[in-house]
Every structure is written in structure tokens, then in C-alpha cells.
Amino acid sequence: MAPQREWFEKDYYRILGVSDSATAKEIKSAYRKLSRQYHPDANSGDANAEERFKEISAAYDVIGDEARRKEYDEVRRLGPMAGGPGGMGGAGGPNNFRFDNLGDMLGGLFGRPRGGGGATTTARGTGPHRGQDLEAELHLDFEDAAQGLTTTLHLTSEAVCSTCHGSGAKPGTSPRQCAQCRGRGVLDENQGFFSFSTPCPACAGRGYTIDDPCPTCSGTGIEHRPREVKVRIPAGVEDGQRIRLRGRGGPGRNSGPPGDLYVTCRINPHDLFGRRGTDLTLTVPVTFPELALGTELAVPTLDGAPVRLRVPPGTRSGRTFRVKGRGVKSKKDTGDLLVTVEVAVPQKLTAAERKAVEALAAASDGTSPRAHLGV
Ligand SMILES: [Zn+2]
Ligand SMILES: [Zn+2]
């Protein structure tokens, strides 16, 4: 992306609410927060939020990219080009920028067509624009998150128009290469020190013209519609983990690349098992005699037959046993099953039980487990 006139006019740092010395991580986190807040899905019909969302995306497009941010900082360091080439203090400067996008200046003149249905079809200026990054949430069953799965995500977003497949031309017709710019979308114009590329006025920077616009998208090639995206969820995905599907976001404009789709995984809890990374956790209730005398327990696993667990005599309540290799098998490693034994104290005793417990208490009189407290 070449420097754009917008860069002089917009303070992308202020838009994302970060300082111009913010780290890449700070910028990313500010962007995520704001884009969630102003996402069209969360603010349906709110034009201000939509505008703000576009602004946020545009800002992140530039300062969220290390190389582009460098260019942007450099452009801004030089200040606005008011006064034109003369304002640069003579020839010979190292920054002979080429402006490929004077969209703000010219975009309004050519009235880019708007799609129906309230779709977001106006782009920032003309020329290629990357599509929007989209956010989606996916609720997964505990087992599916552990084992991984391929599923279909349903979302409503900007998508390539299903009528014209993105060409913008009415079915049966095709876009024509623009005769004025020969498909380049820009016209070169030398103004002394600067070489400008201005968007071609004949085609508004698209490089082609459409005689009969597609009725669905009014010639933009983009419509707002429900669509399905296949998602491959890797085994061992964690609750809250964000998966990036490159190029599955909103379609680009004027041959720009598509945005990305970020899928946040939400994992439904399991009745029995918990997760700690790739380890599975399980609490097994046991009786006092089982711990005191030792026992062998049958323990369920998430992925197959129960395992036998030997509990030695004198095991304390709350001890955790590790069953190797019976946790979550992710690409990186295989977790263990962590079994915690816990004494279940009966809420009610039968007469016989009461007698036996009282006998036990009497027999162990004088050996208090609290002796060390000294009170
Ligand atoms: Zn169309
Ligand atoms: Zn043209």
C-alpha cells in the first residue's frame, strides 16, 4: 500500500485511543476492544457505530501493520503537504512520495454506487481496499473442543455478491476495461517534485466500467447476506481462544484482498470433566474407609474405556492422581487425566452406620489430627 492522502488527515493513533509510541500489542488490543464495541453485528442499524467501525478498521489496517506504520509515521513526520512541492524546502529531499490515492478529494465526485439492503458498500476513497476483518463466536461442546472438529459457521456479513460473483455486472454482461486508464485505475500526473497518481475519473479508480450494473449489488460486487464458512477447529482448543481464518473476512474492494475472519471459541462446560490446558481434571468422591484402607477405583475417561486407579491405604482426601496420556491430545502434546479423590461425607447415617462411626471415633480417641495446633 502506497502512502495515501488520508494519512495526512487522519490521526490513526487517536482513533484507536493509543499513544504514537504504543507497542504493537497495545495497538492490537485497543483495536480488538473497539472493533468489538462498534461491530455492525452488535450495533445493527446504527450508522454512527458503522462509521466508527470503518474508521477503526482503517486505522488498524495501517498502524496494525509494522511496515505500513513506519511509512505512516514517516509521512506524518513530514507534515501536511499544504503549499505543495515548494513546501518541502526545495528539491532533492529523500521523500519523493507517490500518491496512489487521492480518494478523499476525488471519491465524492464520482459517486460510488451503493448496494441495497443497508449494506456497507462505500469504501474509503477509491483504489484497492482490503476487506473488513470480521469477528464471530463459536460455541463448542467440551468433547469437540478436546477432539477437534470441522464445522460450519453461519454468519451474516459482507460477502461476494451471489448474483454476479463479484464482477458487479448484470449476469450475461461483463465489465469493460476502462479505455482511459487501460485498466490501471489511475492516471499519472507530474507536478514538479511529486508524481501523483490520481484515480481515473472515467472508472473511479476501478480500472473497469460497468454498463449494466448487477441488480443485487448495484455494481459493487458486494452484498450483505447470510453465508457459511467451514471452520476446522484443532484438537485442544481453549475457551476464549481466537482462531484466525485468513481471507475469510469481508471481500476486498476494487481488487483489494479480503479481510480475515476471527473466530472466538466458547467451550461449554462438561458435567464431569474440567480442563487445564491439555490436562483433564476429574473429582471422584470416595468414602473415608476407601482412603483409610486403600482401594481400586474405576475412573471414567473422556475418550474411551474407564481406567483402574489404585488408591493406596492412608491416602489423604484431596490428593490428585495423574493418569498419563488420558487427557486432551492436541497437535503439540498429549495431556494427562488428573483425578482428585475427595471424601464424601454422608448427610444422613443409618442406625448401623452411626453405631460404626461412633465406634471408630471411640477407638481413635486421643489421636486428634489437630494436636499440632496446640489449642
Ligand atoms: Zn452483484
Ligand atoms: Zn479508468
Side-chain angles (χ1 to χ4, degrees), residues 178-187 200-209:
C178 173
Q180 192 158 342
C181 64
R182 294 205 180 81
R184 287 182 60 227
V186 289
L187 298 174
C200 169
C203 62
R206 301 175 100 182
Y208 56 87
T209 55

PDB file of all heavy atoms in Angstrom, residues 178-187 200-209, ligand 2:
ATOM      1  N   CYS A 178     -11.426  -0.143 -18.653  1.00  0.00           N
ATOM      2  CA  CYS A 178     -11.576   1.297 -18.839  1.00  0.00           C
ATOM      3  C   CYS A 178     -10.627   1.758 -19.945  1.00  0.00           C
ATOM      4  O   CYS A 178      -9.440   1.440 -19.925  1.00  0.00           O
ATOM      5  CB  CYS A 178     -11.259   2.013 -17.531  1.00  0.00           C
ATOM      6  SG  CYS A 178     -11.212   3.798 -17.711  1.00  0.00           S
ATOM      7  N   ALA A 179     -11.182   2.476 -20.919  1.00  0.00           N
ATOM      8  CA  ALA A 179     -10.381   2.895 -22.068  1.00  0.00           C
ATOM      9  C   ALA A 179      -9.406   4.003 -21.677  1.00  0.00           C
ATOM     10  O   ALA A 179      -8.308   4.093 -22.198  1.00  0.00           O
ATOM     11  CB  ALA A 179     -11.302   3.377 -23.185  1.00  0.00           C
ATOM     12  N   GLN A 180      -9.799   4.818 -20.714  1.00  0.00           N
ATOM     13  CA  GLN A 180      -8.974   5.978 -20.380  1.00  0.00           C
ATOM     14  C   GLN A 180      -7.692   5.594 -19.647  1.00  0.00           C
ATOM     15  O   GLN A 180      -6.622   6.108 -19.941  1.00  0.00           O
ATOM     16  CB  GLN A 180      -9.782   6.967 -19.539  1.00  0.00           C
ATOM     17  CG  GLN A 180      -9.080   8.300 -19.424  1.00  0.00           C
ATOM     18  CD  GLN A 180     -10.054   9.414 -19.089  1.00  0.00           C
ATOM     19  OE1 GLN A 180     -11.258   9.289 -19.248  1.00  0.00           O
ATOM     20  NE2 GLN A 180      -9.521  10.527 -18.637  1.00  0.00           N
ATOM     21  N   CYS A 181      -7.808   4.681 -18.691  1.00  0.00           N
ATOM     22  CA  CYS A 181      -6.615   4.304 -17.912  1.00  0.00           C
ATOM     23  C   CYS A 181      -6.098   2.937 -18.327  1.00  0.00           C
ATOM     24  O   CYS A 181      -5.152   2.437 -17.745  1.00  0.00           O
ATOM     25  CB  CYS A 181      -6.928   4.328 -16.426  1.00  0.00           C
ATOM     26  SG  CYS A 181      -8.167   3.114 -15.933  1.00  0.00           S
ATOM     27  N   ARG A 182      -6.700   2.321 -19.287  1.00  0.00           N
ATOM     28  CA  ARG A 182      -6.353   0.992 -19.780  1.00  0.00           C
ATOM     29  C   ARG A 182      -6.304  -0.041 -18.646  1.00  0.00           C
ATOM     30  O   ARG A 182      -5.405  -0.867 -18.573  1.00  0.00           O
ATOM     31  CB  ARG A 182      -5.006   1.026 -20.492  1.00  0.00           C
ATOM     32  CG  ARG A 182      -5.072   1.850 -21.763  1.00  0.00           C
ATOM     33  CD  ARG A 182      -4.003   1.425 -22.758  1.00  0.00           C
ATOM     34  NE  ARG A 182      -4.088   2.223 -23.959  1.00  0.00           N
ATOM     35  CZ  ARG A 182      -3.580   3.453 -24.083  1.00  0.00           C
ATOM     36  NH1 ARG A 182      -2.955   4.013 -23.073  1.00  0.00           N
ATOM     37  NH2 ARG A 182      -3.702   4.112 -25.209  1.00  0.00           N
ATOM     38  N   GLY A 183      -7.223   0.105 -17.728  1.00  0.00           N
ATOM     39  CA  GLY A 183      -7.341  -0.893 -16.675  1.00  0.00           C
ATOM     40  C   GLY A 183      -6.487  -0.633 -15.451  1.00  0.00           C
ATOM     41  O   GLY A 183      -6.572  -1.364 -14.468  1.00  0.00           O
ATOM     42  N   ARG A 184      -5.652   0.413 -15.488  1.00  0.00           N
ATOM     43  CA  ARG A 184      -4.775   0.657 -14.336  1.00  0.00           C
ATOM     44  C   ARG A 184      -5.524   1.278 -13.161  1.00  0.00           C
ATOM     45  O   ARG A 184      -5.093   1.184 -12.023  1.00  0.00           O
ATOM     46  CB  ARG A 184      -3.610   1.563 -14.728  1.00  0.00           C
ATOM     47  CG  ARG A 184      -2.562   0.870 -15.603  1.00  0.00           C
ATOM     48  CD  ARG A 184      -1.413   1.822 -15.897  1.00  0.00           C
ATOM     49  NE  ARG A 184      -0.771   2.259 -14.668  1.00  0.00           N
ATOM     50  CZ  ARG A 184      -0.469   3.521 -14.380  1.00  0.00           C
ATOM     51  NH1 ARG A 184      -0.763   4.475 -15.226  1.00  0.00           N
ATOM     52  NH2 ARG A 184       0.114   3.826 -13.250  1.00  0.00           N
ATOM     53  N   GLY A 185      -6.589   1.972 -13.452  1.00  0.00           N
ATOM     54  CA  GLY A 185      -7.358   2.600 -12.382  1.00  0.00           C
ATOM     55  C   GLY A 185      -6.807   3.947 -11.964  1.00  0.00           C
ATOM     56  O   GLY A 185      -7.428   4.669 -11.194  1.00  0.00           O
ATOM     57  N   VAL A 186      -5.611   4.274 -12.429  1.00  0.00           N
ATOM     58  CA  VAL A 186      -5.009   5.559 -12.064  1.00  0.00           C
ATOM     59  C   VAL A 186      -4.463   6.250 -13.299  1.00  0.00           C
ATOM     60  O   VAL A 186      -4.152   5.615 -14.309  1.00  0.00           O
ATOM     61  CB  VAL A 186      -3.853   5.385 -11.046  1.00  0.00           C
ATOM     62  CG1 VAL A 186      -4.389   4.985  -9.698  1.00  0.00           C
ATOM     63  CG2 VAL A 186      -2.829   4.391 -11.571  1.00  0.00           C
ATOM     64  N   LEU A 187      -4.348   7.551 -13.206  1.00  0.00           N
ATOM     65  CA  LEU A 187      -3.708   8.342 -14.252  1.00  0.00           C
ATOM     66  C   LEU A 187      -2.520   9.045 -13.612  1.00  0.00           C
ATOM     67  O   LEU A 187      -2.617   9.537 -12.489  1.00  0.00           O
ATOM     68  CB  LEU A 187      -4.687   9.379 -14.808  1.00  0.00           C
ATOM     69  CG  LEU A 187      -5.949   8.824 -15.478  1.00  0.00           C
ATOM     70  CD1 LEU A 187      -6.881   9.966 -15.847  1.00  0.00           C
ATOM     71  CD2 LEU A 187      -5.598   7.995 -16.713  1.00  0.00           C
ATOM     72  N   CYS A 200      -8.488   7.254 -11.792  1.00  0.00           N
ATOM     73  CA  CYS A 200      -9.012   7.567 -13.118  1.00  0.00           C
ATOM     74  C   CYS A 200     -10.456   8.049 -12.993  1.00  0.00           C
ATOM     75  O   CYS A 200     -11.286   7.365 -12.396  1.00  0.00           O
ATOM     76  CB  CYS A 200      -8.938   6.308 -13.974  1.00  0.00           C
ATOM     77  SG  CYS A 200      -9.817   6.460 -15.518  1.00  0.00           S
ATOM     78  N   PRO A 201     -10.744   9.235 -13.487  1.00  0.00           N
ATOM     79  CA  PRO A 201     -12.104   9.760 -13.340  1.00  0.00           C
ATOM     80  C   PRO A 201     -13.134   8.973 -14.154  1.00  0.00           C
ATOM     81  O   PRO A 201     -14.312   8.939 -13.797  1.00  0.00           O
ATOM     82  CB  PRO A 201     -11.991  11.200 -13.846  1.00  0.00           C
ATOM     83  CG  PRO A 201     -10.757  11.246 -14.671  1.00  0.00           C
ATOM     84  CD  PRO A 201      -9.847  10.166 -14.184  1.00  0.00           C
ATOM     85  N   ALA A 202     -12.699   8.311 -15.203  1.00  0.00           N
ATOM     86  CA  ALA A 202     -13.663   7.609 -16.052  1.00  0.00           C
ATOM     87  C   ALA A 202     -14.225   6.381 -15.343  1.00  0.00           C
ATOM     88  O   ALA A 202     -15.377   6.009 -15.540  1.00  0.00           O
ATOM     89  CB  ALA A 202     -13.011   7.217 -17.368  1.00  0.00           C
ATOM     90  N   CYS A 203     -13.402   5.736 -14.504  1.00  0.00           N
ATOM     91  CA  CYS A 203     -13.836   4.488 -13.866  1.00  0.00           C
ATOM     92  C   CYS A 203     -13.803   4.591 -12.344  1.00  0.00           C
ATOM     93  O   CYS A 203     -13.996   3.590 -11.660  1.00  0.00           O
ATOM     94  CB  CYS A 203     -12.962   3.323 -14.324  1.00  0.00           C
ATOM     95  SG  CYS A 203     -11.228   3.520 -13.884  1.00  0.00           S
ATOM     96  N   ALA A 204     -13.543   5.781 -11.822  1.00  0.00           N
ATOM     97  CA  ALA A 204     -13.449   5.993 -10.373  1.00  0.00           C
ATOM     98  C   ALA A 204     -12.402   5.086  -9.741  1.00  0.00           C
ATOM     99  O   ALA A 204     -12.558   4.630  -8.615  1.00  0.00           O
ATOM    100  CB  ALA A 204     -14.804   5.821  -9.698  1.00  0.00           C
ATOM    101  N   GLY A 205     -11.361   4.816 -10.483  1.00  0.00           N
ATOM    102  CA  GLY A 205     -10.242   4.074  -9.917  1.00  0.00           C
ATOM    103  C   GLY A 205     -10.372   2.564  -9.971  1.00  0.00           C
ATOM    104  O   GLY A 205      -9.528   1.845  -9.463  1.00  0.00           O
ATOM    105  N   ARG A 206     -11.415   2.077 -10.578  1.00  0.00           N
ATOM    106  CA  ARG A 206     -11.606   0.622 -10.575  1.00  0.00           C
ATOM    107  C   ARG A 206     -10.881  -0.070 -11.714  1.00  0.00           C
ATOM    108  O   ARG A 206     -10.624  -1.265 -11.659  1.00  0.00           O
ATOM    109  CB  ARG A 206     -13.097   0.287 -10.675  1.00  0.00           C
ATOM    110  CG  ARG A 206     -13.906   0.873  -9.553  1.00  0.00           C
ATOM    111  CD  ARG A 206     -15.362   0.606  -9.782  1.00  0.00           C
ATOM    112  NE  ARG A 206     -15.808  -0.517  -8.983  1.00  0.00           N
ATOM    113  CZ  ARG A 206     -17.047  -1.003  -9.018  1.00  0.00           C
ATOM    114  NH1 ARG A 206     -17.925  -0.499  -9.848  1.00  0.00           N
ATOM    115  NH2 ARG A 206     -17.390  -2.001  -8.248  1.00  0.00           N
ATOM    116  N   GLY A 207     -10.598   0.658 -12.762  1.00  0.00           N
ATOM    117  CA  GLY A 207      -9.906   0.037 -13.896  1.00  0.00           C
ATOM    118  C   GLY A 207     -10.858  -0.563 -14.913  1.00  0.00           C
ATOM    119  O   GLY A 207     -10.437  -1.028 -15.960  1.00  0.00           O
ATOM    120  N   TYR A 208     -12.126  -0.567 -14.554  1.00  0.00           N
ATOM    121  CA  TYR A 208     -13.107  -1.094 -15.499  1.00  0.00           C
ATOM    122  C   TYR A 208     -14.404  -0.327 -15.328  1.00  0.00           C
ATOM    123  O   TYR A 208     -14.612   0.352 -14.317  1.00  0.00           O
ATOM    124  CB  TYR A 208     -13.336  -2.595 -15.275  1.00  0.00           C
ATOM    125  CG  TYR A 208     -13.757  -2.926 -13.871  1.00  0.00           C
ATOM    126  CD1 TYR A 208     -15.097  -2.905 -13.503  1.00  0.00           C
ATOM    127  CD2 TYR A 208     -12.806  -3.252 -12.909  1.00  0.00           C
ATOM    128  CE1 TYR A 208     -15.481  -3.195 -12.205  1.00  0.00           C
ATOM    129  CE2 TYR A 208     -13.179  -3.531 -11.607  1.00  0.00           C
ATOM    130  CZ  TYR A 208     -14.510  -3.500 -11.267  1.00  0.00           C
ATOM    131  OH  TYR A 208     -14.893  -3.776  -9.981  1.00  0.00           O
ATOM    132  N   THR A 209     -15.234  -0.422 -16.301  1.00  0.00           N
ATOM    133  CA  THR A 209     -16.540   0.217 -16.188  1.00  0.00           C
ATOM    134  C   THR A 209     -17.613  -0.829 -16.411  1.00  0.00           C
ATOM    135  O   THR A 209     -17.383  -1.850 -17.067  1.00  0.00           O
ATOM    136  CB  THR A 209     -16.712   1.360 -17.212  1.00  0.00           C
ATOM    137  OG1 THR A 209     -16.453   0.825 -18.513  1.00  0.00           O
ATOM    138  CG2 THR A 209     -15.744   2.495 -16.944  1.00  0.00           C
TER     139      THR A 209
HETATM  140 ZN    ZN B   2     -10.174   4.220 -15.788  1.00  0.00          ZN
END
